[in-house]
Amino acid sequence: MITAPSGGAPRPTAGALRLTETRTADPASVDVSGYLAAMQQHCPFLQPSTAHGMTGWTVYEIAPGAHRYAVEAELFYAGMQAAEWIRPLMTRPYGTLACENVVVLGQCADADHRGLLTWPHWALKNLYSQVGVMFGKFVTGAAESSRAGRSIPSAPFSFLPVRAAVRPLDPRFLTSTPDLAVAVARAVDDGRDVFEHIPCEWKAVREWASSLLKPCRH
């Protein structure tokens, strides 16, 4: 079960995700070392982040029989927890290297991992871009490529990376979402509550996210 803050109070969710490993730099349930080594040539911040202990992994497993909506909700709250963990770190030494990764294992009864990650990722990146927190999305085995068109190693597991934005660079990766690119470029974390104008409940968040302008594909 995941709890997420709403107005300062813990908020229980339905238990569709089971915590396999709490935050660690070297999880036992997934092999991150080989993947990180392969990814270092594609991300100049990865090696210094791991060297300074700023990369963490939290591993969840989908509960047997869990359905899409419940899993989406808990992935959203897990991503939210990661973002709120990162926010106070960003002003500290090496804070720009902060990266938290939410890993999801197991199978959902009515959706694949790509489908499960889509809405939580979209909602979270829209909520947190304004305070300088970036969200990514990697699906196990999916082919990936860099902005320059270079092939990137396929992820051996599905996860949401959550990290401090690099303002001079990250807007270039958001060309399909110009509003988000502008938000990241201008981001200032003044301690604001990103849920000031929207309830924290997943139903409300999902409806809000679905009303946003979708990415432009070129």
Side-chain angles (χ1 to χ4, degrees), residues 44-129:
F45 301 97
L46 186 54
Q47 192 280 330
S49 177
T50 55
H52 287 95
M54 300 300 291
T55 297
W57 301 83
T58 302
V59 184
Y60 297 93
E61 185 169 11
I62 299 170
H67 289 272
R68 176 174 186 156
Y69 186 85
V71 176
E72 283 182 345
E74 296 208 20
L75 282 172
F76 171 76
Y77 292 133
M80 178 177 155
Q81 285 180 330
E84 295 299 335
W85 172 274
I86 282 178
R87 289 179 71 181
L89 298 178
M90 294 194 301
T91 57
R92 300 179 187 176
Y94 306 112
T96 54
L97 301 175
C99 180
E100 294 296 309
N101 299 280
V102 178
V103 179
V104 58
L105 306 176
Q107 299 300 317
C108 179
D110 52 359
D112 60 16
H113 283 193
R114 183 177 297 280
L116 292 173
L117 294 175
T118 294
W119 282 110
H121 170 255
W122 178 239
L124 287 161
K125 69 189 296 185
N126 277 279
L127 282 166
Y128 281 94
S129 61

Side-chain angles (χ1 to χ4, degrees), residues 147-209:
R147 182 174 176 269
R150 297 171 58 197
S151 179
I152 295 176
S154 298
F157 43 80
S158 298
F159 69 104
L160 291 172
V162 189
R163 63 173 175 81
V166 182
R167 290 170 181 79
L169 299 178
D170 282 332
R172 304 176 191 176
F173 300 107
L174 298 169
T175 54
S176 64
T177 50
D179 290 346
L180 286 178
V182 171
V184 169
R186 298 176 178 175
V188 175
D189 193 350
D190 52 9
R192 76 187 70 176
D193 179 1
V194 299
F195 293 94
E196 182 180 2
H197 302 297
I198 181 175
C200 184
E201 290 81 2
W202 176 237
K203 179 180 179 181
V205 171
R206 200 181 195 279
E207 289 176 353
W208 168 78

